[in-house]
Amino acid sequence: MDARFVGIAELVEAPSVAVVVDVMRAFTVAAWAFAQGAEKIVLAESLDGALALKARHPDWVALKDGAPAPGFDLVNSPGLLRSVDLGGRTVVQKTRAGTVGALAVKEASLVLCAGFVVAEATARLLGTRKSDSVTFVVTGEDGQADEDLACAQYIARRVTGAGTDPAWFLRRAAESRAAAELAEGVRQGAHPDDVALCLELDRFSFAMVATLEDSLMVLRPCPVPVPVHTRRTAA
């Protein structure tokens, strides 16, 4: 498999297969939303767009980066989301990087959204597709976010080799600027457990597939059985 690692700005045309990575925190939050019972996640193009969707569908749950804001129900924090019951609900998510990256590749034949919490399931799903080329979209810091790049590289190696040690990749993510900003309280709308939750490797056994549905980019969980002996938890 030929793996390319690019930032959002480097995308000049839609790839055939794209894996959009946002570890801290968009797609860790998305995975937790599904674990808490959400049926689907609509990836909004803007804050105003998210609020417009919420206005048309009052029962939907709107979620954004940063501090709480009028019209939004939740913020982009796995630590805060893990205690919320989302059974059967639709979530509207807008973030600065992850959702932007997914919308940038919406014309791809397969779009997966990923973080460490769904790394193995994502790799296994890619393996079943046997794609010759996969584009990994590194969403944070204009494609330079080390937590996203480390996760993307780890997933790519898991597709091609079963013996990859996750420790080095997780350490890079733990030492990233995003992790430091979350730990130091620089980023608003955070919980003290956010970094640890973002580094919880293979917490969930589903991948996350985004597809266009009636002009909306919709993310849904895709169950991928993960053998128990391959599941790991970050220290």
Side-chain angles (χ1 to χ4, degrees):
M1 182 188 77
D2 176 30
R4 297 175 59 243
F5 304 92
V6 302
I8 297 171
E10 298 173 82
L11 292 163
V12 295
E13 60 182 15
S16 176
V17 177
V19 180
V20 188
V21 182
D22 190 328
V23 173
M24 296 183 187
R25 295 165 284 174
F27 297 138
T28 301
V29 166
W32 270 100
F34 290 130
Q36 295 303 106
E39 178 185 350
K40 63 183 179 183
I41 298 174
V42 177
L43 305 179
E45 295 189 4
S46 66
L47 293 175
D48 287 343
L51 290 175
L53 286 167
K54 171 74 174 178
R56 292 200 298 271
H57 306 276
D59 58 325
W60 288 10
V61 178
L63 181 156
K64 64 176 284 293
D65 272 333
F72 286 90
D73 305 287
L74 299 168
V75 294
N76 194 45
S77 162
L80 295 173
L81 188 71
R82 62 183 168 174
S83 60
V84 178
D85 181 5
L86 294 173
R89 306 289 293 277
T90 293
V91 173
V92 180
Q93 185 181 35
K94 171 66 180 84
T95 68
R96 299 182 186 93
T99 59
V100 176
L103 289 164
V105 293
K106 62 184 179 182
E107 302 298 336
S109 61
L110 175 64
V111 178
L112 304 180
C113 295
F116 280 111
V117 292
V118 293
E120 182 69 16
T122 302
R124 288 170 64 84
L125 183 56
L126 286 171
T128 65
R129 290 293 296 255
K130 296 181 170 55
S131 301
D132 293 332
S133 177
V134 176
T135 296
F136 288 86
V137 183
V138 179
T139 60
E141 299 178 30
D142 297 323
Q144 301 302 311
D146 205 33
E147 74 280 4
D148 293 340
L149 182 58
C151 182
Q153 291 172 338
Y154 176 72
I155 292 171
R157 293 196 185 188
R158 289 295 297 163
V159 175
T160 57
T164 305
D165 185 348
W168 180 66
F169 300 94
L170 290 167
R171 184 165 59 250
R172 285 169 54 194
E175 295 172 354
S176 68
R177 185 168 77 175
E181 289 179 352
L182 285 171
E184 294 166 8
V186 174
R187 300 191 180 191
Q188 292 182 301
H191 185 280
D193 292 340
D194 278 356
V195 173
L197 292 172
C198 290
L199 299 180
E200 197 173 8
L201 185 65
D202 302 335
R203 176 67 175 79
F204 307 112
S205 60
F206 53 80
M208 298 187 293
V209 181
T211 56
L212 283 171
E213 300 182 17
D214 297 326
S215 79
L216 296 176
M217 194 65 164
V218 178
L219 189 64
R220 295 181 185 272
C222 178
V224 181
V226 179
V228 173
H229 70 275
T230 68
R231 297 182 185 176
R232 310 179 183 89
T233 300

